[in-house]
Amino acid sequence: MSRTTLSTGQTVTVPLETAATVTGLVLPADSDAVGSLLPDGLAPVRVTPGRGVVTVLAVEYHRIGDGAVRPYDELAVVLAATPREPSPPLVPLATGDYGGYVHSLPVTTEPARALGDDVWGLPKTVARIAHHDAGGRRTTSVVEDGDHVLTVDIARPRSWPASLETTGYAVRDGRLEQFAVGVDGRFGVRPLSEDFELLVGTHDRSATLRDLTLGDRAIAMFAFEGTVTYGFGQPVT
């Protein structure tokens, strides 16, 4: 374990365990557009020729580590990527040789921004994020610099106890790194669903989302409640 003091003064311990509520969409996207947003050393994962994968995650953190950083919200746009040369569709998914490159990550507080930037090099910005729950659905809206970035509305699938590990990628101090992400709690997943709404706004970052040509049928949509643990950043070799 390692303790790090953030630029905002809080001290955190890594691996960092958090408690969170998450809703998400896994969407097909133009693989060339996804590839253009990835740093050197990563290639897009493709589900079909010409189609990559983008995940939109709406996260409400209830606890961050030992509480030095107060709870906050975030909206992540994550690009499915592999640290290998482009391969035939589905091969990285079948072998598990892939993870998620965090392209965009607005959060609601300055300490939250410093946490992601200082420790992992995550591209966090401070924004206004609102969650609304009604009728088994969660709607999350993001406004940054006074402009609407994105609104996502997802029906929460029925959930069961589960745990899994995945890999995140980020660029810190000019170096591509990977870090383990472990989740443990209750998962609900609904494959091949159209029971969601994704409204792209007018912010400059919204144009990038439009350029991804996101599909109108989700590969999957999901909900999660439990703990999320973030490990150390390590160079991608």
Side-chain angles (χ1 to χ4, degrees), residues 121-132:
L122 294 168
K124 291 191 175 185
T125 55
V126 178
R128 180 160 50 90
I129 300 174
H131 304 292
H132 176 70

Side-chain angles (χ1 to χ4, degrees), residues 104-202:
S104 175
L105 194 56
V107 297
T108 50
T109 70
E110 180 60 24
R113 185 209 60 76
L115 173 64
D117 186 17
D118 295 353
V119 179
W120 292 282
L122 294 168
K124 291 191 175 185
T125 55
V126 178
R128 180 160 50 90
I129 300 174
H131 304 292
H132 176 70
D133 296 304
R137 309 181 70 90
R138 167 160 283 198
T139 302
T140 301
S141 295
V142 183
V143 174
E144 188 172 344
D145 306 319
D147 291 331
H148 176 221
V149 178
L150 183 72
T151 296
V152 58
D153 175 79
I154 301 171
R156 295 179 189 241
R158 183 179 176 184
S159 63
W160 292 268
S163 60
L164 61 88
E165 289 191 0
T166 187
T167 300
Y169 298 110
V171 176
R172 184 164 67 101
D173 298 330
R175 179 176 65 179
L176 179 63
E177 293 189 348
Q178 62 186 28
F179 55 94
V181 182
V183 292
D184 183 46
R186 295 188 63 87
F187 277 99
V189 180
R190 185 177 300 169
L192 303 177
S193 177
E194 298 178 357
D195 192 13
F196 69 91
E197 185 174 0
L198 188 70
L199 179 62
V200 179
T202 57

Side-chain angles (χ1 to χ4, degrees), residues 26 51-52 59 64 73 85-86 94-95 133 148 160 162 167 178 188 191 202-203 213:
V26 183
R51 297 298 277 171
V59 185
I64 308 296
D73 300 331
E85 291 300 317
T95 61
D133 296 304
H148 176 221
W160 292 268
T167 300
Q178 62 186 28
T202 57
H203 192 276
T213 318

